[in-house]
Amino acid sequence: MDIRFQRHTVGPRSDFGAVRALLAEDDLELDKDVEVVITAHDEQGTLVGCGSIARDVLKCIAIAKSMRGEGLALPLMTELVATAWEMGRRDLFLYTKPDNEEMFSQCGFTTLAAVPGSAVLMENNKQRLPRYCRELAALRKPGERIAGLVMNCNPFTLGHRYLVEESARRCDWVHLFVVREDLSLFPYADRLTLIRQGTKDLPNVTVHPGSDYIISRATFPSYFLKDAAVIDKAYTGIDIQIFRRHIAPALGITHRFVGTEPLSAITQRYNEDMTHWLGSNAVDAPPIVFEILPRKELEGEPVSASRVRKLWIEQGVEAVRFLVPPTTFAYLGQHEEIRQKGSTS
């Protein structure tokens, strides 16, 4: 089999009509965030396979029906991994349909979590997650009630502060994980700093930097899942399985808290799905107590990051003084460029 591979950097004028057609044969799409597309061509120049790279994720992988069973999967995956390595990305994830799990396992990928009938998350380094959990275990604290929180904080508000305070009051220790993906209005590094500044007076709280194993809904791939409800359930299932099987045992986490969600139907549904994944026997790990705490309200409205962003962008920093800690207020007053960015997006 003589196969020629080509690498294509995605740009505003890129035309991947043939790739999209090949993906469509498997009911797939070319995701919007792909940076590089690898195409495989036979001796006649016909497109017979493709795959893409987006950050540290391999995705949009397809093989022409005429070439299935001909041994193309391994060289295609080898080309994708080699290209990612040249881009400085050695630890790679892969999301796929359950039907393809065995094929990718034969290409060196290990399953991290799977939602039957929906999605599988795999990675190419089976030692990385155990190593991360050992690092977490070194930060383990004593106590019978240990809380785990996961926050984006775009930006950190008095609502977030209230949830952390309440968790710290109810538990012996709180481990707070920050979502790392840089797709929010406020950069990850700034969000992490604001959370640390806003909670530094709480003696039983550890703020953990972002991790690839705290999965963001914003970067969860949807190119092979068309229904929004299925996408959300698959995301929640994979995210919580990793948390419950690996992260929680490493730190001895027994409880997870979130705030009530009167504004976002998506987040409300996520909270409902969390009840299943954290407490049921669907996961082979100790159950975690899941509690939804009342959202903090000011002036008759819930305190939310979206409310803060809207007021700040439309009316300026003084309009949000009563909704954010002093450290967040000072930050917002110093970053007019972000406010301008928000007003045009």
Side-chain angles (χ1 to χ4, degrees):
M1 178 176 59
D2 185 12
I3 297 295
R4 178 172 52 88
F5 293 101
Q6 293 183 350
R7 302 179 184 182
H8 312 267
T9 301
V10 177
R13 297 185 179 181
S14 299
D15 181 9
F16 292 106
V19 170
R20 294 180 192 277
L22 179 59
L23 289 169
E25 292 181 7
D26 268 348
D27 199 25
L28 303 176
E29 297 176 355
L30 187 64
D31 238 2
K32 296 179 181 179
D33 63 346
V34 300
E35 303 165 70
V36 173
V37 175
I38 302 296
T39 55
H41 305 263
D42 64 14
E43 296 176 351
Q44 289 72 42
T46 303
L47 178 67
V48 294
C50 65
S52 303
I53 302 170
R55 298 177 305 280
D56 59 352
V57 178
L58 304 185
K59 56 172 58 176
C60 308
I61 301 168
I63 295 174
K65 293 180 180 179
S66 62
M67 291 295 295
R68 293 176 189 176
E70 299 297 323
L72 177 57
L74 182 57
L76 175 59
M77 291 300 297
T78 300
E79 184 71 18
L80 280 165
V81 171
T83 302
W85 275 50
E86 291 177 15
M87 298 169 69
R89 305 170 194 183
R90 299 195 171 189
D91 295 316
L92 301 169
F93 291 101
L94 184 153
Y95 293 88
T96 187
K97 297 177 181 179
D99 292 346
N100 297 326
E101 182 178 2
E102 182 178 353
M103 178 184 72
F104 289 121
S105 67
Q106 294 174 355
C107 295
F109 281 75
T110 301
T111 298
L112 291 175
V115 177
S118 296
V120 179
L121 171 61
M122 311 180 78
E123 71 173 342
N124 69 332
N125 185 344
K126 64 175 63 177
Q127 300 303 321
R128 189 158 70 117
L129 180 54
R131 183 170 63 245
Y132 173 62
C133 289
R134 289 194 296 271
E135 293 170 357
L136 290 179
L139 302 174
R140 188 171 178 141
K141 302 295 183 179
E144 295 183 1
R145 293 170 60 93
I146 306 296
L149 302 178
V150 177
M151 292 184 167
N152 190 41
C153 299
N154 186 35
F156 187 70
T157 70
L158 290 177
H160 295 119
R161 166 74 189 200
Y162 174 76
L163 182 59
V164 179
E165 283 180 336
E166 278 297 296
S167 302
R169 183 179 67 81
R170 294 164 183 255
C171 294
D172 300 303
W173 203 271
V174 175
H175 292 280
L176 194 167
F177 294 88
V178 183
V179 175
R180 188 172 69 182
E181 280 78 11
D182 250 333
L183 297 175
S184 301
L185 179 62
F186 299 96
Y188 159 71
D190 293 356
R191 289 186 286 109
L192 177 61
T193 297
L194 289 176
I195 294 169
R196 284 176 166 164
Q197 291 175 340
T199 60
K200 65 180 180 181
D201 61 309
L202 300 175
N204 61 333
V205 175
T206 299
V207 178
H208 295 268
S211 160
D212 290 333
Y213 299 107
I214 301 293
I215 300 170
S216 167
R217 183 187 289 108
T219 58
F220 185 80
S222 58
Y223 63 93
F224 61 90
L225 298 171
K226 308 301 185 238
D227 184 88
V230 174
I231 293 170
D232 289 338
K233 285 185 178 297
Y235 157 71
T236 306
I238 286 177
D239 179 45
I240 300 303
Q241 282 184 63
I242 293 174
F243 184 86
R244 183 172 162 185
R245 280 199 185 103
H246 304 283
I247 294 173
L251 291 167
I253 291 173
T254 59
H255 289 66
R256 183 155 171 178
F257 297 99
V258 299
T260 52
E261 187 47 71
L263 302 176
S264 170
I266 292 176
T267 303
Q268 184 174 353
R269 187 165 58 243
Y270 175 64
N271 291 347
E272 294 171 355
D273 290 342
M274 283 178 69
T275 303
H276 166 73
W277 288 107
L278 287 172
S280 74
N281 59 6
V283 181
D284 53 347
I288 296 172
V289 177
F290 178 59
E291 294 188 37
I292 302 177
L293 305 181
R295 176 78 70 94
K296 183 179 181 63
E297 293 189 358
L298 289 172
E299 295 188 350
E301 293 185 49
V303 179
S304 68
S306 58
R307 181 183 175 190
V308 169
R309 292 194 303 272
K310 186 175 188 298
L311 285 172
W312 179 56
I313 290 170
E314 294 178 355
Q315 301 180 32
V317 69
E318 284 299 329
V320 301
R321 183 189 289 272
F322 74 108
L323 294 172
V324 298
T327 47
T328 300
F329 179 80
Y331 171 88
L332 294 176
Q334 297 166 3
H335 287 80
E336 181 66 21
E337 77 283 0
I338 298 180
R339 179 168 173 252
Q340 295 297 324
K341 175 184 175 182
S343 66
T344 57
S345 62

